[in-house]
Amino acid sequence: MRRTTPLSELTLAEPPRRSQLVEGLRARLSEVVPALRLIAEGVLGADSSIDFVGVEPTGRVVLILVGEEGDDLELIGRAVAQRAWVEPRIRDWIQLAPNLGLRPGAGTRAVLLCPSFRHETEAAAAALGDRAVSLVRYRCLLNGGNLEILLEPVAREVGRGSTPPRLDRSALPPFRTGLSHEDLGLTAEEYVEFE
């Protein structure tokens, strides 16, 4: 039977030195990217290092960048640069190692791990979209004498508590099939996905 730790024995801890933090995070990555297969660590990309490079079962490349407290805005800028650096190299990687499971055209996603994210960072990630960037908070806890790292994906907020904007359907062109926008019954978010 597995012993559970009482909450009174868990205390927040400062993150360990970077090498130990990255090692601890490696073991937890499948919690935020299910079925991720790591293929490289510490890859020199666009003028800086990519902490982890992995592949999802779909063949999409996943870049994982680890930041410290206060690094979140810089980290999202690095994610955009690293995605732009990796995209044109995927075909070369496939030629060099066809067994990696990479698929051309599957895209590249960045997962950013940081203790906290400012509203500006969350807004930038939302503007880039879920397929481009995901934000994950990490917390370090002491469980007795052992360091535990918890990962928490950051949920996307729509307008901070407001309802999504209404779509003015009268300004949209009619469908060639003769259907109207009302016939489809799509929400504003669903309709935008088809544009």
Side-chain angles (χ1 to χ4, degrees):
M1 177 176 260
R2 186 175 174 191
R3 181 181 170 263
T4 58
T5 304
L7 289 178
S8 61
E9 291 182 28
L10 298 176
T11 57
L12 280 175
E14 289 295 315
R17 66 183 191 282
R18 184 167 175 80
S19 61
Q20 187 180 0
L21 174 65
V22 169
E23 183 179 323
L25 288 168
R26 180 188 311 111
R28 311 299 298 253
L29 293 176
S30 64
E31 294 174 22
V32 291
V33 185
L36 177 72
R37 186 165 60 104
L38 287 180
I39 60 172
E41 291 184 38
V43 174
L44 180 59
D47 297 327
S48 64
S49 182
I50 302 169
D51 294 297
F52 301 101
V53 177
V55 181
E56 292 178 319
T58 62
R60 179 168 58 172
V61 174
V62 179
L63 309 175
I64 300 170
L65 304 174
V66 179
E68 297 174 7
E69 188 66 48
D71 286 348
D72 56 312
L73 283 171
E74 178 186 342
L75 203 60
I76 199 152
R78 283 183 45 218
V80 170
Q82 298 295 15
R83 286 183 68 237
W85 182 85
V86 165
E87 282 288 333
R89 288 165 174 79
I90 292 174
R91 289 193 185 279
D92 294 336
W93 291 358
I94 292 170
Q95 284 184 349
L96 292 171
N99 61 340
L100 290 179
L102 302 174
R103 210 181 84 230
T108 305
R109 178 168 69 119
V111 177
L112 310 183
L113 302 168
C114 213
S116 64
F117 294 97
R118 289 172 252 194
H119 296 297
E120 293 95 337
T121 306
E122 292 182 24
L128 292 168
D130 287 333
R131 292 197 46 81
V133 177
S134 300
L135 306 179
V136 178
R137 285 186 200 94
Y138 67 81
R139 306 245 192 268
C140 296
L141 300 171
L142 283 178
N143 181 359
N146 299 323
L147 180 70
E148 300 279 337
I149 300 175
L150 301 178
L151 299 178
E152 172 192 9
V154 175
R156 303 283 169 134
E157 295 182 21
V158 177
R160 295 204 160 278
S162 65
T163 57
R166 297 289 304 164
L167 183 63
D168 180 11
R169 296 189 196 298
S170 64
L172 300 173
F175 290 104
R176 286 180 278 181
T177 61
L179 291 173
S180 70
H181 294 284
E182 289 76 30
D183 292 335
L184 294 176
L186 297 175
T187 66
E189 294 82 23
E190 292 169 331
Y191 187 81
V192 168
E193 288 180 26
F194 292 105
E195 292 182 340

